[in-house]
Amino acid sequence: MREDRVTETSDPTPIAPDRPRSWIAAVPAAASRLWAIRWDASPAVRAATIARRALWIFLMATVTPVLVLRWAPPPTTAFMIEHRAAARAEGGEGSHLRWQWSDLDDIAPSAQLAVVAAEDQAFPRHHGFDFQAISDAWADNMNGGRLRGGSTISQQVAKNLFLWGGGGFFRKGLEAYFTVLVESLWPKRRILEVYLNVAEFGDGIYGVGAASEVFFEKSPDELTDYEAALLAAVLPSPSRMHPDEPSDYVIMRACAILEFMDKLGPSHMERIATTPEERPESPADSLPRS
């Protein structure tokens, strides 16, 4: 009787069916199903599946580095790699690059304002593209004027980091795509910080930190307004213009940049932290271009 009571009162826990211990264990199986291609399906279904897989790979390969570089300094850029390759192809001379990273807080405010005044005065208020500047550049080019571009600072960051030099609709399309990614995933302050660190200020001299040391023998936070304007003045053609031995044209351009810096004022840079709706219009004047 005692044994029967024990048997009746015992309530063993039912054995649960086998299941993954956590969602992590289910990831490989889910990934396998996601990427599997049904080769017994029709050609149209297989082509659509392959296209979807290729799109996902492209998005992961492009969005991931842009997202990482929002916080991490880039170890190099596409333009630096291209510069090294070209120098080595010519015999190795000039393959050594001068480059050092500088946080935005360690760069003189005058240098920040100078590049905005010189390259992209609408930087605080646009979303990656200055359509008025593009339209003006197109009109000048069509009217037989000197060829010029309408690239914003955001576009130049996208191009310098991820793409190669030159033109073509394919590269321009990729530039526009990366510009949208940069503008969507980075704050304006980060875009300006990266630009000041990857722009070329001399032959093989990248970033305002290296440029200030090479040309003026000082750290970037010690740059004067005129020195910052000289650095910004050579951005259109850093291999031909020299901020330490400026030509008459470079001096003229630097003086124009100083005038625009004074017109914009330090408050212009404070607009970078505001919302798009709060950003007032900026002066639409343009600088002399090379």
Side-chain angles (χ1 to χ4, degrees):
M1 293 295 295
R2 183 177 181 181
E3 184 177 350
D4 293 339
R5 285 196 299 272
V6 172
T7 302
E8 292 172 359
T9 57
S10 61
D11 184 22
T13 303
I15 299 177
D18 293 338
R19 65 180 61 182
R21 295 183 179 179
S22 68
W23 65 270
I24 297 178
V27 169
S32 177
R33 291 192 298 270
L34 176 65
W35 294 100
I37 298 176
R38 293 182 54 191
W39 297 105
D40 58 338
S42 65
V45 172
R46 291 201 303 269
T49 303
I50 293 173
R52 287 197 299 269
R53 303 298 186 267
L55 178 60
W56 274 108
I57 292 173
F58 175 77
L59 291 174
M60 293 173 63
T62 54
V63 173
T64 301
V66 173
L67 191 58
V68 170
L69 292 178
R70 172 173 178 168
W71 295 281
T76 187
T77 70
F79 270 37
M80 293 182 196
I81 294 172
E82 187 177 19
H83 180 95
R84 289 192 183 98
R88 289 170 182 169
E90 296 173 359
E93 295 183 4
S95 60
H96 178 68
L97 299 180
R98 296 290 300 269
W99 178 61
Q100 64 186 48
W101 178 266
S102 300
D103 292 336
L104 193 62
D105 291 335
D106 297 327
I107 299 174
S110 59
Q112 303 175 33
L113 181 58
V115 297
V116 171
E119 294 293 298
D120 185 7
Q121 293 180 15
F123 175 69
R125 60 183 173 84
H126 66 59
H127 299 283
F129 306 94
D130 186 351
F131 295 103
Q132 182 60 51
I134 294 173
S135 176
D136 293 343
W138 178 266
D140 286 351
N141 297 341
M142 290 297 99
N143 292 332
R146 185 184 298 270
L147 290 177
R148 48 173 288 198
S151 295
T152 63
I153 285 177
S154 304
Q155 289 175 273
Q156 294 181 55
V157 167
K159 177 177 63 177
N160 289 4
L161 278 178
F162 303 111
L163 302 173
W164 59 95
F169 289 108
F170 179 69
R171 196 201 64 79
K172 283 294 185 182
L174 287 176
E175 179 184 312
Y177 169 73
F178 276 106
T179 299
V180 171
L181 287 184
V182 167
E183 278 280 340
S184 301
L185 299 177
W186 296 4
K188 286 286 188 178
R189 178 180 172 85
R190 178 61 174 175
I191 297 174
L192 180 62
E193 181 179 51
V194 173
Y195 177 75
L196 285 164
N197 278 281
V198 303
E200 187 176 12
F201 292 92
D203 189 18
I205 301 171
Y206 290 86
V208 69
S212 60
E213 293 285 351
V214 171
F215 296 125
F216 305 118
E217 298 181 348
K218 58 176 60 177
S219 60
D221 62 337
E222 299 173 331
L223 289 170
T224 66
D225 289 358
Y226 183 61
E227 290 167 343
L230 284 173
L231 289 176
V234 305
L235 284 170
S237 184
S239 61
R240 185 166 57 88
M241 301 187 227
H242 308 283
D244 55 340
E245 298 177 357
S247 64
D248 291 342
Y249 175 80
V250 171
I251 293 175
M252 178 187 69
R253 182 173 166 82
C255 291
I257 291 172
L258 285 171
E259 292 180 6
F260 281 110
M261 290 169 64
D262 183 64
K263 181 183 295 186
L264 295 174
S267 61
H268 188 68
M269 303 306 296
E270 296 174 1
R271 297 188 179 104
I272 291 176
T274 63
T275 61
E277 293 75 14
E278 298 171 337
R279 295 171 192 157
E281 294 293 321
S282 299
D285 305 86
S286 61
L287 289 168
R289 295 180 178 266
S290 61

